[in-house]
Amino acid sequence: MWLTWRAAMEHALYGESGFYLRERPSSHFRTSVGASPVFAEAVLRELAAIDEALGGPDVLDLVDIGAGEGELAAGVLAAAPPALRSRLRVTAVDLAPRPPALPEEIVWSRAAPDGIHGLVIANEWLDNVPVDIAEQTADGPRLVMVNVTDGEERLGGMPSEADLAWLDRWWPMRAVGERAEIGRPRDRAWASVIVRLARGGAIAIDYSHALDDRPPYGTLAGYRDGAMVAPVPDGSCDITAHVALDACAASGESAGAVTTALTTQREALRALGITGGRPPVEQARNDPRGYLQALARASEEAELIAAGGLGGFGWLSQSRH
Ligand SMILES: C[S@@+](CC[C@H](N)C(=O)[O-])C[C@H]1O[C@@H](n2cnc3c(N)ncnc32)[C@H](O)[C@@H]1O
């Protein structure tokens, strides 16, 4: 069966017995959430800052979109001090079924709630929102079609007018053979988050690229059992493509965001106090146990902010008030 990449990804990842409805993401790849509980602590710091800015509302929302196994939502809840925890309403949003061990207080839902007061966090969600792929030909961009059983590709028709306009604005292809991942469904997905935010902040964290630095042949990739594999959309592997977060930012602004910051995870986490700083060596003599704990934490922090690794992820942070 030949489909556009968007339809093929939709079916492979979220169709009946699709990859994400069947598998535990952590068995296949490592995200910041799984890398260290320090990530949840940083999210809690961001949430506390929003709480303060909102004047400590009676109910403070934390909404985790693309929650996977719910580890981040559970981690923030567990780390929250009692005065915050008692006001916290945590919603984990995913298309997958509710994980069995999730704490009862966490609401599990297939869609984000309306009227959010607090923080929305979406770690590695948008890269799994299916996109079509276009290839530049001598006659202009054409859609790439894929055979869902073996991943073979061939060219199809022209992209829609709306997709052509998106390509012009956000991912102009220059030479024949170049490929672009048409991010319009991600822009819409992100806008749908911003319209649900009544007051507070929304953060999307993902592998990303910007208009002046798009990869000329795209970023489509497959992952299975911790290894990169050919992206065959047969439901046997994760299929992902990096995110044009600058386009999502513009879409979020059109949907009502009043502030936008686009930075790296390294910079964002450093601003939240995650620096990877090592404990002083004298501590090794006075408090060897504490020293070892501090050293382990420093190495987890360092992984989250490593420039060539997780620290290189894009952080799109927008707010409404
Ligand atoms: C790469 S995993 C990330 C899991 C988790 N956030 C983490 O960082 O470990 C992406 C998750 O997004 C979910 N997802 C994709 N599209 C979705 C949608 N439209 N609504 C809710 N969840 C979605 C998938 O089911 C999957 O669990």
Side-chain angles (χ1 to χ4, degrees):
M1 182 169 53
W2 291 87
L3 295 175
T4 70
W5 264 107
R6 185 177 171 201
M9 271 177 85
E10 189 68 52
H11 183 69
L13 299 182
Y14 313 113
E16 199 187 331
S17 83
F19 179 83
Y20 274 114
L21 305 197
R22 216 183 54 231
E23 297 286 331
R24 287 162 54 93
S26 60
S27 315
H28 297 275
F29 47 81
R30 184 173 162 88
T31 67
S32 295
V33 172
S36 166
V38 169
F39 190 73
E41 263 179 52
V43 171
L44 176 59
R45 281 181 204 171
E46 182 71 28
L47 180 66
I50 288 175
D51 181 45
E52 199 179 325
L54 297 184
D58 292 343
V59 177
L60 180 70
D61 284 305
L62 173 69
V63 179
D64 181 7
I65 304 196
E69 290 154 63
E71 202 179 345
L72 177 62
V76 175
L77 188 66
L84 187 66
R85 187 173 174 146
S86 61
R87 292 183 291 115
L88 206 49
R89 179 169 60 192
V90 183
T91 310
V93 180
D94 208 289
L95 302 174
R98 181 185 178 97
L102 201 69
E104 256 176 35
E105 301 114 286
I106 299 178
V107 176
W108 187 263
S109 168
R110 282 178 64 90
D114 286 322
I116 299 165
H117 285 73
L119 174 64
V120 178
I121 188 106
N123 189 60
E124 295 204 39
W125 166 47
L126 291 171
D127 67 293
N128 281 130
V129 172
V131 284
D132 270 326
I133 297 181
E135 183 171 317
Q136 186 70 5
T137 72
D139 301 323
R142 301 264 298 274
L143 284 175
V144 177
M145 310 293 293
V146 60
N147 184 328
V148 299
T149 47
D150 59 9
E152 195 193 331
E153 292 181 338
R154 69 183 186 205
L155 292 182
M158 268 177 51
S160 68
E161 285 298 319
D163 281 350
L164 285 171
W166 189 93
L167 286 168
D168 250 13
R169 169 70 185 87
W170 292 109
W171 196 325
M173 291 180 283
R174 309 202 190 282
V176 168
E178 287 193 5
R179 286 165 59 124
E181 290 132 11
I182 307 172
R184 224 158 54 83
R186 285 137 179 217
D187 296 359
R188 279 204 304 263
W190 186 245
S192 81
V193 168
I194 297 297
V195 296
R196 286 177 165 79
L197 185 62
R199 291 181 74 208
I203 301 176
I205 304 161
D206 242 303
Y207 296 100
S208 67
H209 40 58
L211 182 57
D212 58 0
D213 195 23
R214 303 277 185 232
Y217 301 102
T219 60
L220 189 74
Y223 287 91
R224 186 193 307 125
D225 300 330
M228 204 175 200
V229 296
V232 179
D234 60 0
S236 68
C237 61
D238 179 30
I239 296 181
T240 160
H242 296 197
V243 182
L245 274 182
D246 47 359
C248 296
S251 176
E253 282 167 2
S254 302
V258 293
T259 66
T260 296
L262 199 44
T263 183
T264 60
Q265 172 151 311
R266 181 179 176 79
E267 293 313 318
L269 287 186
R270 283 164 70 105
L272 289 168
I274 309 300
T275 61
R278 294 161 69 94
V281 277
E282 312 83 71
Q283 192 184 349
R285 274 194 305 277
N286 311 334
D287 171 19
R289 205 187 157 95
Y291 177 76
L292 284 178
Q293 278 168 352
L295 210 53
R297 183 186 167 97
S299 93
E300 290 181 16
E301 291 192 3
E303 181 183 358
L304 290 174
I305 61 172
L310 293 171
F313 273 50
W315 272 53
L316 167 60
S317 181
Q318 296 192 304
S319 71
R320 296 188 85 172
H321 42 249

